[in-house]
Amino acid sequence: MHVPDGFINAPVSVAAGVAAVAAVAVSLRGARRELDERTAPLAGLVAAFIFAVQMLNFPVAAGTSGHLLGGALAAILVGPYTGVLCVSVVLLMQGILFADGGLTALGVNITVMGVVTVVLSYALFRGLLKVLPGTRRSVTAAAFVGALISVPASAAAFTVLYAIGGTTDVPLGKVLTAMVGVHVLIGIGEALITAATVGAVIAVRPDLVHGARGLAAPLKLRVGGELVDAPAAAPAPVAARSTKKVWAAGLVTALVLAGFVSFYASASPDGLEKVAADQGIDTEVEEHAAAGSPLADYSVKDVTDARLSGGLAGALGVGATVAVGTGVFWVVRRRRTDEQQPSATVSAG
């Protein structure tokens, strides 16, 4: 649902840009509390994984496809503040390198695809965990619901911006019905991907899932024919719980998805593109400022083989996203450390 330049007029695009900058600023401060030595590099990996999976458009209706937005997944894995930053990094990379999503519409895209999806999905996720049993299965189920609702909500948010600053005269009711209708279907795919990914990470490293922190599911032992709680084991020291294997496995997965599996993704237009074409929203669309980029349209310029061109572009995108994302999150983490050291010095004195 990458909004191109020309769908929303300049004043509303500027206002959305201001809102996006404010959200990113708040998230930068909030992420300091969410990131530690282990999760900072993993947050960059989450951004790269979202970039990769967004290349995998899946069919949802006749002539229409959808792809992951990623807000719910990022919020649950690394926290809501860090989640906003993850999606923002992905959108920035896509806009600058791949001409995907307008540059003047970057604020619109961050607001709609990042802030709305993260805030709503995480609020639903936390609310459901308060009433569901404290199990890993509940985390996965809550992730499914949060992701499912976040996508049509994002579509509705776009419709609100279009109602205020749309550049074409299309009945609002038609836009809302079409946008929400198709994105409910896309939301099912989003929910399945999010639940599967969260469930997979919880299965091997629940300590790395922000939304599962504090989850206590004691091991059960059968004694005398009855199930009883096993004695709690002492937690392994942080140093013993290395993230290197998880990071490497995640990076390889992202590279395979973007560099190979993406070739088999649906070529049909995504939900917004289809609705825009059907309803006439795209009559004022503008050429992307980065249309001449060597990686525009997720292909490498002058590489004639489509499979190789797309695969190289995807791999380069994953590399760029993980590098920029990890750099951003390390800086955020470093600032937290720098702020804590003066306090520690004062206390020691």
Side-chain angles (χ1 to χ4, degrees):
M1 197 168 58
H2 296 74
V3 180
D5 296 324
F7 276 23
I8 307 296
N9 65 26
V12 175
S13 294
V14 170
V18 171
V21 169
V24 168
V26 171
S27 297
L28 284 169
R29 293 186 62 86
R32 297 178 197 173
R33 301 191 297 271
E34 295 174 344
L35 296 171
D36 55 32
E37 293 178 356
R38 296 176 302 146
T39 57
L42 288 175
L45 178 62
V46 168
F49 182 79
I50 290 173
F51 172 89
V53 180
Q54 283 196 2
M55 294 183 66
L56 308 181
N57 281 49
F58 49 85
V60 295
T64 309
S65 70
H67 62 71
L68 183 81
L69 298 187
L73 178 62
I76 295 165
L77 288 180
V78 293
Y81 295 107
T82 308
V84 169
L85 298 179
C86 282
V87 178
S88 298
V89 167
V90 171
L91 292 171
L92 182 62
M93 293 295 99
Q94 290 171 332
I96 293 176
L97 298 179
F98 299 92
D100 189 11
L103 295 183
T104 61
L106 183 60
V108 172
N109 285 318
I110 290 176
T111 301
V112 171
M113 296 177 63
V115 179
V116 171
T117 58
V118 166
V119 172
L120 181 59
S121 65
Y122 197 72
L124 288 171
F125 174 80
R126 298 308 308 180
L128 286 171
L129 287 187
K130 290 181 179 180
V131 299
L132 293 174
T135 65
R136 297 177 183 179
R137 187 172 297 178
S138 295
V139 173
T140 304
F144 181 94
V145 175
L148 175 65
I149 302 301
S150 70
V151 178
S154 179
F158 164 77
T159 306
V160 170
L161 293 179
Y162 174 79
I164 300 172
T167 56
T168 54
D169 186 16
V170 179
L172 182 60
K174 289 184 176 181
V175 176
L176 179 62
T177 301
M179 283 293 293
V180 173
V182 71
H183 283 89
V184 166
L185 300 177
I186 296 173
I188 296 173
E190 177 103 9
L192 290 172
I193 295 170
T194 300
T197 305
V198 170
V201 179
I202 286 181
V204 294
R205 290 296 300 269
D207 59 301
L208 297 180
V209 179
H210 179 89
R213 290 180 180 177
L215 183 67
L219 177 67
K220 297 289 185 179
L221 298 178
R222 188 173 294 279
V223 179
E226 296 183 359
L227 290 176
V228 297
D229 291 344
V238 171
R241 300 197 297 271
S242 173
T243 62
K244 291 182 179 179
K245 290 183 179 180
V246 176
W247 197 91
L251 181 59
V252 169
T253 300
L255 287 170
V256 169
L257 292 175
F260 177 73
V261 180
S262 62
F263 180 78
Y264 302 97
S266 173
S268 298
D270 67 21
L272 176 58
E273 290 176 316
K274 179 64 173 176
V275 171
D278 290 346
Q279 303 297 328
I281 297 175
D282 59 355
T283 57
E284 299 296 326
V285 67
E286 300 173 4
E287 183 179 15
H288 200 288
S293 166
L295 298 175
D297 297 324
Y298 298 93
S299 61
V300 178
K301 188 177 181 180
D302 297 330
V303 176
T304 56
D305 184 273
R307 186 191 297 270
L308 179 60
S309 180
L312 286 174
L316 289 170
V318 167
T321 304
V322 76
V324 172
T326 301
V328 169
F329 298 125
W330 269 119
V331 170
V332 173
R333 166 61 185 162
R334 185 67 178 268
R335 290 198 63 180
R336 172 187 173 182
T337 303
D338 292 344
E339 289 177 353
Q340 290 176 338
Q341 286 177 346
S343 300
T345 304
V346 171
S347 298

